[in-house]
Amino acid sequence: MMTAFTVRLPDETAARLDQLAEKLDRSRSYMAAQAIEDFIAREEWQLADIETGLAEADRGEFASSDDVAKIVAKYVPSARS
C-alpha cells in the first residue's frame, strides 16, 4: 500500500530533482520517495546509536582516563617530540 502527499520545495530544488531524475531515467516521485527513505534510514540509525550510548552512560559505562589517553596519543603527536 502507498500513501500520496504533497511536499513543497523551492523551485531550484525541484529543478535539480527533475534534472537528476531525468539523468537516472526515473520519475520525480521515485526520486523523492527514495530520498525520504534514505533520510529515514539514516536518522533511525543515528538515533538508535545515540540511545545506545545514552543507555551505556546511564549504566556508568565510560572510557577510563587511560583508554582516552591511548586514543589521544594515537592521533595527536606528543608535544615532547
Side-chain angles (χ1 to χ4, degrees), residues 15-75:
R16 291 170 59 206
L17 178 62
D18 288 339
Q19 290 173 355
L20 186 58
E22 185 177 330
K23 287 178 182 180
L24 296 174
D25 195 27
R26 297 289 186 171
S27 69
R28 175 196 279 194
S29 178
Y30 173 87
M31 298 299 295
Q34 189 64 49
I36 292 168
E37 287 178 23
D38 291 347
F39 173 81
I40 290 170
R42 185 177 58 249
E43 292 299 308
E44 286 175 336
W45 167 83
Q46 187 174 24
L47 289 173
D49 222 31
I50 290 168
E51 289 170 351
T52 298
L54 290 172
E56 290 171 355
D58 287 344
R59 292 190 302 269
E61 298 173 5
F62 296 99
S64 69
S65 297
D66 288 340
D67 293 337
V68 173
K70 287 177 187 174
I71 292 170
V72 170
K74 182 176 178 180
Y75 296 103

